[in-house]
Amino acid sequence: MPTRSFQHELVGVLGMPVAENPTQAMMEAAFADLGLHWRYLNVEVKPHDLGDAVRGTRAMGWRGFNCTMPHKVAVIPFLDRLNPAATAIGAVNCVINHDGVLVGDNTDGKGFLESLSAVRPVVGIEVVILGAGGAARAIAIELALAGARRVTLVNRSPRSAHELAYLIQSQTPAQVELVPWSSSITVPESTDVVVNATSIGLYPNHDQIPPIDLDSLKPRMVVCDVIPNPPRTPLIERAGQRGCAVLDGLGMLVNQGVIGLALWSGLSPRPQIMRQALEDVFTHAPA
Ligand code: NDP
């Protein structure tokens, strides 16, 4: 008789596409480090199959799952309840299965906050956020809830920027300013933190840089990019050359994964193990 179990605890990510999502490598490195007999599966789910897929995770006793594009909002009707962050942001990237009760959370913004807090206290800061999509929403809401004084949203399409501004104004004490993004913008002198929360610079368009006046980036500013691949985007490179402290998208990716795995397992994974696994993936990826 075999003495070891051939049955794993399951978690994973539901999205479309998922083939290039590297979260599996980071999570499975943490499982090995923690001695967990778990697997993390990348599962491609078409939008019209999402309800069946979510019910399937419950039927199979998955500990939980991550949601990625295009399911972060669409998954909400299939869950039993939402935690406050997911309610405030209006999107779910992490679902926890509590004995068959599926609870939606959003750990993207908390992951970002964790990275930023390590280099700059957030209370009272002025932030410029480029973009108003899912990542920008999560970051803006968490920063505003954590005490950021002023959030300036710079976005191409006015509708999503107005929606996010309304969310911030109705749920947090932070001041909000909207800046339309039709040509290169100048970062105000009083800015403490600049965040690229657009997809500009994401592989394979890894030579692109958001249209901002790079001379307006001052050494006292922290410049952050959400792009995880490549970790050193042209924006991060140029801001670093100008003397700014920089945060790459791997930190946010790792930290949201640390928070998610802690929610699923009750354990405390080591971020450096997870970051190393991602760096190994990107070092060996075609650039
Ligand atoms: P969305 O599609 O929801 O939003 C994309 C945003 O980028 C929109 O605001 C869009 O503006 C803007 N944008 C895209 N292209 C341009 C352009 N050429 N010029 C100006 N604005 C542009 O995507 P997400 O918010 O979900 O993801 C954004 C990025 O964040 C992705 O690259 C993703 O990989 C990354 N991400 C990283 C995470 C991490 O842990 N590091 C976690 C989650 C996401 P408009 O509204 O005008 O279209």
Side-chain angles (χ1 to χ4, degrees):
M1 289 287 287
T3 53
R4 56 185 258 242
S5 171
F6 291 95
Q7 182 184 1
H8 292 83
E9 296 291 332
L10 294 177
V11 288
V13 59
L14 310 185
M16 196 178 94
V18 289
E20 292 185 14
N21 187 321
T23 308
Q24 181 188 64
M26 149 178 122
M27 286 296 189
E28 297 212 333
F31 299 163
D33 187 52
L34 292 166
L36 289 177
H37 197 53
W38 287 30
R39 294 303 310 268
Y40 186 100
L41 306 179
N42 282 22
V43 182
E44 183 161 293
V45 176
K46 295 185 179 69
H48 67 270
D49 290 327
L50 183 59
D52 286 341
V54 171
R55 285 185 284 276
T57 68
R58 182 176 8 222
M60 289 184 279
W62 285 34
R63 293 286 188 122
F65 57 90
N66 289 127
C67 269
T68 191
M69 287 193 7
H71 303 322
K72 285 186 177 182
V73 176
V75 75
I76 290 174
F78 304 115
L79 304 178
D80 297 304
R81 63 183 166 85
L82 299 183
N83 280 346
T87 305
I89 295 162
V92 165
N93 78 322
C94 183
V95 175
I96 307 107
N97 182 349
H98 290 296
D99 297 325
V101 177
L102 298 183
V103 179
D105 206 334
N106 195 309
T107 60
D108 278 337
K110 290 192 192 76
F112 177 83
L113 192 57
E114 186 94 16
S115 298
L116 180 60
S117 302
V119 298
R120 173 72 57 97
V122 170
V123 174
I125 61 171
E126 294 191 19
V127 190
V128 170
I129 297 181
L130 311 175
R137 276 168 95 112
I139 290 168
I141 293 286
E142 293 288 357
L143 286 179
L145 288 174
R149 193 175 69 77
R150 186 179 183 81
V151 179
T152 300
L153 300 172
V154 181
N155 202 50
R156 204 173 42 177
S157 38
R159 189 169 163 194
S160 44
H162 278 104
E163 282 172 7
L164 177 52
Y166 174 75
L167 277 183
I168 297 169
Q169 273 165 340
S170 57
Q171 303 190 51
T172 82
Q175 298 167 18
V176 185
E177 189 184 347
L178 296 182
V179 175
W181 203 6
S182 48
S183 58
S184 181
I185 61 119
T186 299
V187 175
E189 192 92 41
S190 58
T191 302
D192 300 293
V193 175
V194 180
V195 186
N196 174 35
T198 73
S199 41
I200 300 171
L202 184 67
Y203 180 85
N205 301 313
H206 49 281
D207 52 353
Q208 290 182 355
I209 191 160
I212 61 173
D213 174 9
L214 294 170
D215 287 337
S216 63
L217 297 177
K218 304 298 177 203
R220 59 173 292 276
M221 299 177 184
V222 182
V223 177
C224 317
D225 209 323
V226 297
I227 301 293
N229 181 19
R232 290 204 73 80
T233 58
L235 175 65
I236 288 289
E237 288 288 349
R238 301 288 290 276
Q241 287 161 6
R242 297 190 58 78
C244 305
V246 293
L247 291 175
D248 66 31
L250 281 194
M252 175 177 170
L253 187 57
V254 168
N255 286 333
Q256 63 79 28
V258 167
I259 297 165
L261 182 46
L263 290 170
W264 292 329
S265 69
L267 301 174
S268 302
R270 290 197 291 168
Q272 62 273 32
I273 298 284
M274 297 165 77
R275 181 165 180 120
Q276 186 59 54
L278 286 177
E279 283 179 359
D280 290 347
V281 168
F282 293 128
T283 306
H284 297 115

